[in-house]
Amino acid sequence: MADTVSSGSGSQSKGAPGHHLEKGVSANQHVDLNANLEARIKNPLEGIPYDDLMYKVDLFAQEKGLVECIPLLRKGALVAQRPDDYENIAGPETLDDDEKRVLRDEVEHKWRLPKKLFLTIATCSIGAAVQGWDQTGTNGANIFFPHLYGIGGSSVHDKILVGLVNAGPYIGSAFIGCWLSDPINNWFGRRGVIFFAAHFCIWPVIGSAFSHNWQQQLANRLLMGIGMGAKASTVPIYAAENSPASIRGALVMSWQMWTAFGIFLGTAFNLAVWNAGAINWRLMLGAPFLPAVPLLLLIYICPESPRWYMKKNRYAKAWTAMLQLRNHPIQVARDVFYIHAQLEIEEQLQRNSNYLQRFAELFTVPRIRRANLAAFTVMIAQQMCGINIIAFYSTTVFKESGSDDFQALLASFGFGLVNWLFAFPAFWTIDTFGRRSLLLFTFPQMTWTLLAAGLCTLMDQGTARTALVSLFVYLFAAFYSPGEGPVPFTYSAEVYPLSHREIGMGFAVATCLFWAAVLGMTFPFLLDSTGTVGAFGCYAGFNAVAFIMIFFFVPETKQRTLEELDYVFAVPTGKFAKYQLTQALPWWFKRWVLMRKDAKLKPLFHVGGEHEIDPEEEEVARQNAVRADSGSDDAKAR
């Protein structure tokens, strides 16, 4: 058993000051990954005697075909065991100056990363840009193709068909693409899924540009959705598994960053082809295939996820892949041994299950169920917040506000630009301020800005009305982009254990895109029946509901290794919610409303040996220990 900080480590990597793994806990004291009542995050290597640890290393190397790496693995295991004291490791495993420098650089220069890791993240970013551009093709085309297809009337029939065509990719994703992610990942790996998905982001997209009726258009967009769903369920996982923990959020949020860029690129292209004549809308629909081509060509130049290789018991290939993703072999030795050791503990969650059993376990195994609830919450919140009513229908909304066709497209371009530019602050805040904190700060801001945009539509038509509606929509996007924009896909890619990561991410993305489809189909009716003010007011209310859900159900994951998150989601939901209500909320009120600087917040999670245990929990732990001892005595008697 072991615990290492995957990729540069667990909390700001090995040896990061202020982010220590647990001390003073016997290696035999295991945390129940389904009921971590003490909210402990522990290092299972802590306390293992030197000889025992070296024996484990030698046995691991022999079993996994890494015998030639034993000297490095011995060093790596000791670094993982003593993250704050690696400079004082003595004996034959003493680190040389170069190894010590590399481990210090993880903390002091955490953006010094190998070229292959940057290439991997860049390739993932291209996949995200495809996703964003695909979303905005119909945004501009919506004001052209319905009339040409004969479905541009105001009847319920026509509105349903327009909504269905717009929602086509999300229906294809939610019902097919997301669910293909697990089996294709199992057979072909992360790169194989992305290669597969890229094809569905090229040929159906080209086909949509040549569609002559709504039936053909819908078929192509459904096929496009298969690629979008499989890609969205895998690219964030691929990025998360390859990234160092200390900057994993910043690297994985490239998904949203470049999805936003794809949306911006789409709105810019829609504006550029405005004067292209009768084929302008066909160009808007077909152009998103362009970034999918380099995605198809680059993906196999990138290394496969080492964690996927380890899941398949192909440790030699995992070692080779990790060498491309880390700056020095000492990091590779530490991370490979740590991940393997933590996976041994994670085996209590694993079963020899098939696809349907793994899906059922998303709701029945407590540790996985809590992660699933948190991922579901952040994903559905992305639709509840109202961003996609702008992404799908901003041109329509701006027209409803009094703009002509060109002005509406220009305003949509402005929205796309703001949405992209304001994603940049998340690079510096998602791993410091944190995922949860970003959500809790930005959701109230999205609520009032969306409500203000709707209220401004009550003004008389004119320049002032158009300007104010645009201003508040842009402010809404500015708050969305560093919060609910990057967090859902980053968060969902992190929280599931390796055994259920593909099926879990598939469920999370299917949740997001299914409700995106529902939104795409219902928004024309909502807009028609309540007007812009009613539609925006409705989604402002949804923002408030999403804020409450996040407050109670979404733990923080920043600067934890993927394996350490097993301990975070082992804490019962009731305990976490109780802590938020009885500890975090009163502290926030005292600190930020009463402005009391002496207000202190007792942490929920403990990464050291000393912590407080509630009396009722201590009694439960005592009773469990008595039952365990009794069971052991009974076994001996038998």
Side-chain angles (χ1 to χ4, degrees), residues 179 359 362-363 368-384 439 443 484 487-489 491-493 495-496 503-515 545-546 549-550 553-555 569:
W179 304 110
F359 176 77
L362 295 179
F363 307 94
I368 304 170
R369 183 178 65 238
R370 296 179 196 115
N372 204 42
L373 174 62
F376 170 84
T377 299
V378 295
M379 281 295 196
I380 199 169
Q382 192 169 79
Q383 303 310 320
M384 294 172 70
L439 295 178
F443 261 93
E484 183 60 16
V487 169
F489 282 84
Y491 192 89
S492 300
V495 297
Y496 294 98
I503 190 73
M505 187 63 173
F507 170 78
V509 175
T511 296
C512 180
L513 298 184
F514 170 76
W515 289 105
V545 174
M549 293 170 63
I550 291 163
F553 300 142
V554 178
F569 289 99

Side-chain angles (χ1 to χ4, degrees), residues 459-483:
M459 298 170 60
D460 294 334
Q461 286 198 9
T463 303
R465 170 175 160 170
T466 302
L468 285 173
V469 170
S470 299
L471 171 64
F472 286 114
V473 167
Y474 294 167
L475 285 173
F476 170 80
F479 286 117
Y480 165 84
S481 291

